[in-house]
Amino acid sequence: MTGGLEVKCEVAGKWFLVRGYLPLPGEYTLIKEFPGGVTVNLFAVIPERLFSVLSSRLKEDYAAILFRIYDQYQLTTFGMERDVVIDLIVDYMEQKDQFFEQALADEIWEESLDTPAGSRDRAAFILRKLESTGWLAGEVYSNYVQYISLPDYAIKILDVLDKIRRHRQVEYQGFVYATYTLLHAPEADRQGNLALEKAYEQTEQLINGLKSLNHNIKRYIERVLAEKEPREILKIHFQDYMTEIIDQSYHRLKTSDNVSRYRPKIVARLNQWYGDPVWVDRAANLEVQRERYPDLSAARQGIYRSLDYIRQAYTGLDDLLEEIDRRNARYANASFQQLKYILNSSRDTEGQLTEILKFLAEQRTSGGKRPDEQLPAGLSGLFGFFTQEFLSTDSLYTGREAVRHHQPQEVHELETVDPARRQERLRHFQQRLERRMTREKINAWIMGKLAGREEIYARELGIAEMDDFIKLVYASAYSRSRRVSYRVERKDRPRVTAAGGSFEFKDLRLKRK
């Protein structure tokens, strides 16, 4: 037939409008997309050779150049002049060594059978290659000046890659609170569709972030188990893991952005809307007016799907949080056991077995051998390791015994305590209480050191003996408490020494709250 046909279709819960010709199936043209759009082949959206530059010999250099252009592009309104982009590439090339120049010359010769001598000519080759692969796009404006811009897909991809290379962690603080605020805002009943849409996005980011946190803890477990130096294990634990996982993510998840603070009210509001057909119809009408759904029935289904997703996400969040807790505990145990294994120098049975295992591990991996290769001929028959599937009375392992309940004997006569001994015990107990490092004592010590100042550095605290050093450790540990009047900045602080080099610590900055 020659006449056109417009059809509203639903594919995997996503609506779109197409115009085609009978008999169907046949050629069709997309007229309008509804929520989610149409799922198409990935390389129908991005160029087929887009990732070729990131898999070439100069992939690190191409990536660095793209990030430089991306950083500069964010500061512009429309785009960058072509000469400015050439200057950026030339500036990068001038910082490289002769190996880069030779590799670039070989690539230019392979692709164009040319050997440009000037740096701007070589930079122009790189720019043309980034344009041909689809990372950059050129356009001539009305002033006859050629500008370079980044396509929309390139901006999204570079944004994700930039976050990965900078190790940017998801900030969980605010996701739950933002969802609660959106659902309970005064305008939520009148513009419920917008409130629900934004709450859906916040919930999706929260769930994806928690999954990433769970995976990151697993990655740290693998890093710790692969390390052989105690210093590196301690660095991973007290610097990398504490900064990236505990301070930025896990601590906030357990305190300021705790799910339990807002979850009951979030679920209650979702249940209220779910059981209110008037509110659902009003929100569905607004979605149809925004042309996000083709009709009222499809809009209602979309509203109910969003309500279900958020409600199920929050009601089932405990399983994910428990898995994060278990993995965090598993990381702490793995870090301790690996450190204990490396530092074990005792001569008991455990220490001797540790030395034997270390020797066998060195024999397997020395000389470029793979870990799965056989031991040398003289050692292969000495040991037979196998997995013990069950325990019996003949097993070497001594099983744990159940807790035995103590049966106290009846007291017939009361013993008298010597008054002098009582006073001595009380005095000893009083001294222990005075030496105890409480939050109140540490807070008073820091505030006394501040003496009217707004901030003070650790090097100015007068660390002269062990008690002073212990107070500094407690001051850092108690800084997150609400019961102290100061806070501590640890990030990027240099290390200093005190008492003639007897103590070494970070030069923490302690500020008055």
Side-chain angles (χ1 to χ4, degrees):
M1 296 179 61
T2 58
L5 177 66
E6 290 188 359
V7 183
K8 294 176 181 178
C9 302
E10 181 183 15
V11 179
K14 301 172 183 178
W15 288 86
F16 57 94
L17 180 68
V18 298
R19 176 181 296 143
Y21 296 90
L22 294 178
L24 292 176
E27 296 296 330
Y28 64 86
T29 304
L30 179 65
I31 303 298
K32 184 184 300 181
E33 295 185 15
F34 293 101
V38 185
T39 302
V40 297
N41 189 309
L42 174 63
F43 293 98
V45 181
I46 66 174
E48 190 171 328
R49 297 177 56 240
L50 182 71
F51 298 105
S52 61
V53 295
L54 300 182
S55 59
S56 64
R57 290 177 298 175
L58 298 174
K59 54 182 179 295
E60 295 182 1
D61 300 292
Y62 281 123
I65 291 171
L66 282 172
F67 284 129
R68 285 198 174 197
I69 297 174
Y70 171 72
D71 292 339
Q72 188 65 29
Y73 184 77
Q74 291 181 308
L75 304 177
T76 63
T77 304
F78 302 105
M80 295 180 292
E81 293 186 15
R82 188 179 185 88
D83 290 341
V84 174
V85 178
I86 293 291
D87 291 337
L88 284 175
I89 301 175
V90 169
D91 181 67
Y92 174 81
M93 293 168 55
E94 290 176 350
Q95 302 175 19
K96 301 299 292 184
D97 52 23
Q98 59 181 359
F99 297 103
F100 167 78
E101 295 181 0
Q102 184 60 46
L104 179 61
D106 294 341
E107 186 167 305
I108 295 175
W109 175 259
E110 292 175 1
E111 296 192 14
S112 61
L113 298 180
D114 192 11
T115 55
S119 58
R120 295 189 67 85
D121 292 335
R122 295 196 297 271
F125 166 82
I126 295 176
L127 177 57
R128 289 194 300 271
K129 184 162 186 176
L130 294 177
E131 286 181 296
S132 65
T133 53
W135 284 105
L136 303 177
E139 184 177 0
V140 179
Y141 284 8
S142 57
N143 57 359
Y144 302 104
V145 177
Q146 187 173 9
Y147 284 81
I148 300 296
S149 60
L150 289 167
D152 57 341
Y153 56 81
I155 294 175
K156 296 176 183 178
I157 295 174
L158 288 174
D159 179 64
V160 173
L161 296 178
D162 184 59
K163 290 178 180 178
I164 293 175
R165 72 169 179 143
R166 296 180 186 273
H167 298 287
R168 291 182 182 174
Q169 302 295 326
V170 177
E171 293 287 347
Y172 304 97
Q173 190 173 11
F175 283 155
V176 182
Y177 175 74
T179 303
Y180 164 78
T181 304
L182 287 166
L183 298 180
H184 288 81
E187 293 294 315
D189 288 327
R190 192 174 64 86
Q191 295 286 341
N193 61 320
L194 295 179
L196 184 62
E197 177 184 345
K198 297 305 177 183
Y200 183 96
E201 294 175 358
Q202 294 290 322
T203 304
E204 195 173 36
Q205 292 183 58
L206 173 65
I207 298 300
N208 291 337
L210 291 178
K211 291 178 180 178
S212 298
L213 173 61
N214 191 33
H215 176 75
N216 286 339
I217 296 177
K218 177 186 176 184
R219 180 166 54 87
Y220 273 99
I221 294 175
E222 295 172 350
R223 285 182 58 186
V224 164
L225 295 178
E227 285 294 341
K228 303 302 180 185
E229 294 294 331
R231 182 175 182 177
E232 291 300 320
I233 295 176
L234 293 175
K235 177 180 178 294
I236 292 174
H237 181 79
F238 289 104
Q239 183 172 330
D240 300 343
Y241 188 78
M242 292 295 294
T243 301
E244 296 183 14
I245 302 298
I246 299 298
D247 291 344
Q248 293 187 6
S249 303
Y250 192 78
H251 178 72
R252 294 177 181 178
L253 189 64
K254 293 296 181 180
T255 55
S256 59
D257 206 29
N258 195 296
V259 177
S260 300
R261 295 179 61 185
Y262 302 104
R263 176 165 52 184
K265 295 181 180 180
I266 291 175
V267 175
R269 175 51 64 94
L270 294 172
N271 290 336
Q272 176 189 344
W273 285 352
Y274 202 94
D276 187 356
V278 176
W279 181 90
V280 173
D281 286 343
R282 183 165 58 248
N285 275 316
L286 292 173
E287 290 292 88
V288 174
Q289 293 175 16
R290 292 175 63 196
E291 298 184 349
R292 290 178 55 82
Y293 290 93
D295 53 45
L296 193 60
S297 176
R300 286 197 197 96
Q301 294 180 18
I303 295 294
Y304 282 122
R305 278 196 297 267
S306 298
L307 289 170
D308 281 333
Y309 174 80
I310 302 175
R311 186 169 59 177
Q312 292 176 9
Y314 275 93
T315 55
L317 204 56
D318 288 337
D319 293 337
L320 182 55
L321 295 177
E322 289 177 1
E323 175 60 25
I324 292 175
D325 288 340
R326 285 194 295 268
R327 188 157 287 185
N328 180 57
R330 195 153 56 242
Y331 164 79
N333 183 65
S335 178
F336 170 74
Q337 293 295 339
Q338 182 73 355
L339 195 62
K340 179 182 176 182
Y341 163 73
I342 294 175
L343 296 178
N344 191 337
S345 59
S346 61
R347 306 312 302 169
D348 57 6
T349 302
E350 181 180 355
Q352 294 178 22
L353 287 175
T354 300
E355 291 299 324
I356 292 173
L357 291 174
K358 288 181 180 179
F359 175 76
L360 293 178
E362 292 176 358
Q363 292 296 317
R364 278 184 177 272
T365 56
S366 61
K369 296 180 181 179
R370 299 193 309 273
D372 57 347
E373 289 186 12
Q374 295 293 329
L375 289 170
L379 299 175
S380 59
L382 292 180
F383 306 99
F385 293 104
F386 60 93
T387 302
Q388 181 68 33
E389 298 293 343
F390 65 92
L391 299 178
S392 68
T393 56
D394 298 328
S395 300
L396 298 178
Y397 174 75
T398 303
R400 295 182 179 181
E401 296 182 359
V403 177
R404 296 178 180 178
H405 297 286
H406 176 65
Q407 297 294 334
Q409 297 180 357
E410 184 179 354
V411 178
H412 298 283
E413 295 181 3
L414 296 177
E415 295 182 4
T416 58
V417 180
D418 181 39
R421 185 182 178 188
R422 177 190 289 271
Q423 291 299 324
E424 177 63 23
R425 295 294 299 272
L426 288 176
R427 187 183 64 81
H428 179 69
F429 181 69
Q430 185 67 28
Q431 290 177 349
R432 288 180 58 189
L433 289 179
E434 291 176 356
R435 290 196 301 267
R436 186 178 178 185
M437 300 295 182
T438 63
R439 287 182 177 85
E440 291 73 15
K441 290 182 180 180
I442 296 300
N443 185 63
W445 182 64
I446 294 296
M447 300 311 293
K449 293 291 184 179
L450 284 170
R453 297 169 58 182
E454 290 298 321
E455 65 179 28
I456 190 173
Y457 293 90
R459 66 176 183 273
E460 303 176 273
L461 295 177
I463 307 298
E465 53 187 26
M466 183 58 68
D467 285 345
D468 298 328
F469 182 72
I470 294 175
K471 287 180 180 179
L472 176 61
V473 174
Y474 274 97
S476 177
Y478 288 151
S479 62
R480 293 191 179 95
S481 174
R482 297 181 180 178
R483 294 161 54 186
V484 299
S485 304
Y486 65 92
R487 58 188 178 90
V488 173
E489 289 186 6
R490 306 174 180 81
K491 191 174 183 180
D492 300 330
R493 301 303 306 160
R495 301 192 69 84
V496 296
T497 59
S502 300
F503 303 102
E504 181 180 354
F505 48 86
K506 277 192 174 183
D507 192 16
L508 305 177
R509 179 184 295 170
L510 298 96
K511 289 187 174 182
R512 187 188 301 270
K513 284 187 179 178

